[in-house]
């Protein structure tokens, strides 16, 4: 095989060592919050029937990875975790309501931007509340509460930008956008967080909108503020609020404001009329989580979580409608932020330090006592203790000392001791002067596990003292 | 979309509820054993460059899933976790040695046999020891020790059938198999655990072997026994043991026998000359783990773990050779066995019981106190306690009692109490007669978390008493 194929596929990466540990820390932290709110886990296949994914993602459908036709079903890699969840809900008609979460990789044939945490294979963590037994906006409010708890746990200040599809659709209708142009104009508006109004307006005109209509939209789309504040303003705008869609959306948001106050998270929310979100399936509240501008931070990663209400998606599978609301955490982007914050430690996490290093020393005739070291390791493993020995028949003394770096305890074997059924047990790296001259405590193999346990407790206690 | 597409792809499944919990229990158990032996985790992408996978799997290559050419690289889904690990090792030339594990799904376009736990998407858990700093057979022995620890932890009695590629290759040479036929004859021999000798012989003849050669092989291939026992027998067979490959293999196995005795796992091993394993990349010791026949068990799943030594695989990527030995645990097959054993519990794990259910009761004018219930939940969540409330503005009394099934504690809100900044806290389902008439203890909101914590401790203590 050629040398240039010795790499991972574009937009993918391996996870190992400190990166993997940080990633797992992120998974654990999010899971803990979600389980506190009653969520259960779901795991779906990495590929779905192509039909399951079709007509769910609008213009983004072109980013879906298809599998080659090798005789059989037409398959595609999952693009997100929402559609597989909707497919699962449609299949399991006995499920009345569920709070589910899923942490898994998703696949998008996008242009990778590794430094900003955008990959072709990347993790999402989705939490969704599904079912008809919820009163309006109650689960929606809990999702925003959960967002707040998750990012507090990471020590990240965030803003939840939110909007409502019905407010947006009504606004477009009032402005005079033809109904068949609403989604494409919506996509243009969505760019307002990164693109100046003049450019967005140009795009709208190019898409066939009259200038007056575009300007009408522009007057609204650039509005943002607190939820209560902007709600009051829009209520007073009778042109707008007399539209039935807008009125329904504002009623939802009014309710949401009350609940967010009760859940003590009203202050992290910003009502932002330019937020549109590209996906076809949203029907109500939509939101996007952005980090608060941090002058010290060097990384800019865009939104780090996003979601909304999608009441019709499950019904698209033809069985029954199931109202849903959810949030998708961009785990890799969260990783990018936390990674930039953490200090670069020197230690190498590609090996895991043992509790006990089992050594053997002897003179010229010494055979290395490997089977005996193995027997001691076996005793320790049986007792659930992490033991390790040099993987050499005749290990050098220095090599064994080097390998025991970071290990709190040594069991030392010598010819004479072994013949008498004994070994020496010794604390390592205690720092005391006498430490290295101390030959350790002689114990019989029968009492070894007990002695090791007691010395490990002692070592743990000393570590705690150093830490405090 | 058509209704018949409302399913998962052939040979795949969703994981949720009790199944997912059992699967996670399997993952945790294996991880614990592996980490006790110093393993660190690696996670690789689900697809690799097609070139990375080519010429690694012999006849099984036809089972690889390819991705469609959508403009870009040629990609395939991973077929196992060994080749991605070898690719990683080849890329990271600074890694001298590593004990790594990976738990992830792999993909094979095989004929699914769901009842026997054979799927197209299934989990593997791989542990491998890589590096040149190990003396012969030392890591190989530790892998077999790890196999023993893993299956002990699951309460499963297993036999590790083992063989050595060099013994097998030498045996074929001595019998007179042309060297270009060795792999295909090897594949025929491998079927001897399921197929009678007469059929295997027929296959060999069809593959162009002379009858005398086939019979010569048959005389050996049907031999199996304890490692020491069969070793002694083969040593005495000078025709065989004078072959340099056989001699090298037997020397390895002799060493292994000593180490397995030291590690107290010699008794789980069976030396089986018919074991060949299909994959091209093995170079030394090979093994396959089977469950001991259990007359009570209804499930037959074939081998539940398998592996061996592959010293040349990393070198195939053209950078440097890295000797490796490893084991792959068939997680889904282990699941099938444990699933058949467990009792079918009735409870529904699609919801997770809360610690505290927050209820509100009142008369006709009662508005349901939803924001007040939310505030109480917020207090509890902030304290890390799992609180839940009915997602209704005006929940019915009965619905709230039903929803609190399995929840140890209730916080009860009423109009008067709330006005006074108070709630009632009550143990649920204590079984005592007075239980349901008891209106609970009146506490102020300030002292709520403290009171809840103390009552949860009390409830946990009672549960422990019932359990003991």
């Amino acid at each position: 095989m050629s040398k240039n194929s010795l790499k991972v596929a574009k937009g993918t990466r391996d996870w190992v060592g400190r990166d993997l540990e940080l990633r797992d820390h992120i998974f654990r932290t999010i899971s803990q919050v979600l389980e506190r709110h009653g969520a259960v886990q779901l795991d779906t296949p990495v590929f779905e029937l192509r039909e399951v994914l079709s007509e769910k993602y609008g213009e983004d459908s072109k980013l879906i990875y298809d599998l080659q036709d090798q005789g059989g079903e037409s398959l595609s890699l999952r693009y997100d975790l929402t559609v597989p969840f909707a497919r699962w809900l449609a299949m399991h008609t006995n499920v009345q309501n569920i709070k589910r979460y899923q942490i898994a990789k998703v696949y998008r044939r996008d242009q990778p931007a590794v430094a900003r945490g955008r990959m072709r294979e990347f993790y999402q963590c989705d939490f969704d509340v599904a079912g008809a037994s919820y009163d309006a906006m109650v689960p929606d409010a809990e999702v925003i509460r959960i967002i707040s708890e998750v990012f507090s746990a990471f020590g990240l200040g965030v803003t939840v930008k939110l909007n409502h599809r019905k407010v947006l659709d009504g606004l477009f209708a009032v402005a005079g956008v033809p109904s068949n142009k609403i989604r494409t104009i919506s996509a243009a508006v969505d760019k307002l967080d990164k693109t100046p109004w003049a450019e967005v307006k140009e795009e709208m005109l190019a898409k066939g909108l009259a200038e007056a209509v575009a300007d009408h939209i522009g007057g609204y789309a650039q509005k943002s503020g607190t939820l209560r504040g902007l709600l009051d303003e829009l209520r007073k705008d009778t042109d707008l609020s007399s539209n039935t869609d807008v009125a329904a959306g504002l009623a939802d948001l009014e309710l949401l404001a009350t609940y967010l106050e009760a859940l003590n998270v009203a202050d992290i929310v910003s009502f932002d009329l330019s937020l549109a979100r590209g996906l076809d399936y949203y029907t109500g509240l939509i939101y996007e989580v952005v980090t608060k501008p941090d002058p010290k931070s060097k990384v800019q990663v865009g939104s780090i979580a996003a979601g909304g209400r999608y009441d019709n998606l499950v019904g698209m599978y033809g069985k029954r409608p199931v109202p849903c609301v959810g949030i998708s955490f961009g785990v890799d982007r969260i990783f990018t932020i936390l990674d930039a914050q953490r200090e670069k430690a020197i230690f190498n996490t590609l090996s895991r330090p043992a509790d006990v290093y089992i050594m053997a020393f002897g003179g010229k005739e010494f055979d290395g006592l490997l089977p005996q070291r193995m027997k001691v390791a076996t005793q320790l493993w049986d007792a659930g203790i992490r033991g390790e020995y040099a993987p050499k028949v005749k290990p050098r003394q220095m090599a064994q000392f080097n390998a025991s770096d970071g290990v709190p305890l040594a069991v030392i074997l010598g010819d004479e001791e072994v013949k008498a059924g004994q070994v020496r047990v010794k604390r390592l790296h205690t720092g005391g002067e006498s430490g290295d001259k101390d030959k350790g405590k002689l114990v019989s193999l029968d009492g070894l596990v007990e002695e090791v346990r007691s010395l490990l407790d002692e070592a743990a206690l000393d570590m705690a003292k150093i830490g405090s």
Side-chain angles (χ1 to χ4, degrees), chain A:
Chain A
M1 78 176 295
S2 68
K3 281 200 185 181
N4 63 6
S5 68
L6 192 54
K7 58 184 181 189
V8 294
K10 193 174 173 185
T12 71
R13 60 162 294 184
D14 298 312
W15 291 90
V16 71
R18 285 159 30 71
D19 281 3
L20 187 134
E21 280 168 27
L22 176 58
R23 190 201 74 179
D24 278 355
H25 163 73
I26 294 170
F27 291 168
R28 270 195 309 274
T29 304
I30 298 177
S31 305
Q32 264 168 19
V33 171
L34 297 178
E35 294 190 357
R36 190 156 69 222
H37 286 267
V40 294
Q41 219 183 319
L42 173 71
D43 176 31
T44 62
V46 80
F47 48 69
E48 297 276 347
L49 295 180
R50 198 162 300 162
E51 260 193 309
V52 168
L53 303 192
S54 62
E55 289 168 45
K56 306 296 184 305
Y57 301 111
E59 291 180 8
D60 288 346
S61 293
K62 63 180 185 295
L63 302 181
I64 293 175
Y65 277 97
D66 292 328
L67 268 72
Q68 192 169 302
D69 180 7
Q70 294 169 290
E73 303 156 320
S74 289
L75 303 171
S76 298
L77 297 188
R78 63 183 165 219
Y79 178 87
D80 65 9
L81 303 175
T82 309
V83 166
F85 175 52
R87 187 264 308 150
W88 181 86
L89 276 173
M91 279 171 68
H92 295 85
T93 47
N94 59 326
V95 176
Q96 292 306 308
N97 52 69
I98 186 170
K99 290 177 173 178
R100 90 85 181 74
Y101 75 99
Q102 180 169 9
I103 302 178
K105 290 171 175 174
V106 300
Y107 299 88
R108 300 184 183 181
R109 294 177 51 257
D110 216 336
Q111 206 47 38
V114 178
R116 285 186 291 142
R118 195 170 72 201
M119 304 285 281
R120 289 184 159 192
E121 173 185 68
F122 60 99
Y123 277 97
Q124 280 194 338
C125 170
D126 273 30
F127 169 74
D128 294 82
V129 186
S133 62
Y134 299 95
D135 272 354
M137 305 312 284
V138 175
D140 314 56
E142 189 170 358
V143 169
I144 290 170
R145 166 74 201 187
I146 283 170
I147 293 170
S148 159
E149 287 188 28
V150 164
F151 290 106
S152 292
F154 292 128
L156 294 175
V158 297
T159 300
V160 181
K161 292 160 59 175
L162 60 79
N163 198 356
H164 197 294
R165 267 281 162 96
K166 285 186 177 164
V167 172
L168 210 51
D169 288 355
L171 186 157
F172 291 143
V174 169
V177 179
S179 61
N180 64 348
K181 288 213 166 93
I182 282 186
R183 278 288 78 81
T184 182
I185 295 305
S186 179
V189 165
D190 201 41
K191 294 176 184 159
L192 268 174
D193 58 337
K194 295 186 194 90
T195 314
W197 164 241
E199 275 180 50
V200 171
K201 180 176 167 181
E202 216 162 299
E203 184 179 335
M204 288 180 177
L205 300 183
K207 283 175 174 173
L209 230 54
E211 183 156 10
V213 176
D215 283 335
H216 194 159
I217 295 171
Y220 287 112
Q222 292 173 83
K223 284 185 197 296
S224 70
T226 66
L227 183 51
R228 289 277 187 209
L230 190 49
L231 266 176
D232 288 347
E233 187 183 333
L234 296 179
R235 279 242 177 267
K236 284 173 198 152
D237 184 336
T238 46
D239 271 0
L240 194 66
S241 60
S242 60
N243 174 283
T244 47
D245 273 348
V246 172
L250 295 183
D252 270 357
L253 292 173
E254 203 87 50
L255 216 44
L256 181 71
T258 304
Y259 297 156
L260 293 184
E261 283 152 14
L263 298 176
N264 201 25
V265 288
D267 57 332
I268 66 162
V269 159
S270 154
F271 186 6
D272 189 331
L273 278 173
S274 75
L275 182 75
R277 311 252 328 112
L279 301 178
D280 282 358
Y281 51 62
Y282 291 118
T283 54
L285 188 69
I286 47 178
Y287 34 79
E288 207 169 272
V289 183
V290 294
T291 48
K292 289 207 166 132
D294 177 0
K296 281 177 297 176
S297 172
K298 282 171 222 151
V299 290
Q300 284 299 326
V301 296
S303 76
I304 52 176
R309 174 162 285 283
Y310 50 103
D311 286 349
N312 300 334
L313 183 58
V314 180
M316 285 172 80
Y317 296 99
K319 293 255 183 177
R320 55 163 187 166
V322 180
C324 296
V325 63
I327 179 79
S328 179
F329 293 97
V331 177
D332 294 55
R333 291 181 176 187
I334 297 168
F335 175 89
T336 302
I337 296 170
L338 297 182
D339 186 45
Q341 288 178 356
R342 70 178 164 169
E343 297 190 20
K344 302 288 178 193
I346 313 155
F347 63 89
N348 170 19
T349 56
L350 289 186
S351 65
R352 185 180 300 278
D355 291 331
V356 182
Y357 202 86
I358 303 147
M359 309 178 177
F361 304 132
K364 274 193 179 174
E365 302 292 297
F366 183 60
D367 77 348
L369 294 170
L370 177 54
Q372 290 79 2
R373 283 183 283 137
M374 286 175 162
K375 274 183 199 162
V376 169
T378 297
Q379 265 192 282
L380 298 178
W381 292 334
D382 280 340
I385 298 165
R386 285 191 201 165
E388 205 178 321
Y389 48 86
K392 294 281 192 189
V393 172
K394 292 184 194 175
R396 285 177 306 121
Q397 184 163 339
M398 214 45 193
Q400 293 180 87
F401 270 124
N402 289 342
S404 72
D405 192 33
V407 177
L409 211 64
V411 171
I412 304 165
L413 282 69
D415 276 328
E416 280 182 32
E417 292 89 342
V418 163
K419 268 176 213 152
Q422 292 178 315
V423 292
R424 293 185 182 274
V425 184
K426 185 182 170 228
R427 287 276 305 277
L428 295 171
H429 319 292
T430 46
E433 279 226 6
S434 65
D436 288 344
K437 285 169 196 163
D438 170 20
K439 291 181 78 177
K441 184 176 173 185
L442 202 61
V443 297
S444 80
L445 283 171
D446 294 342
L448 176 63
V449 166
E450 203 183 340
E451 182 66 26
V452 163
R453 279 219 175 100
S454 125
L455 285 174
L456 282 176
D457 286 347
E458 199 182 296
L461 212 66
D462 287 355
M463 282 302 294
K465 276 183 204 150
I466 293 166
S468 66

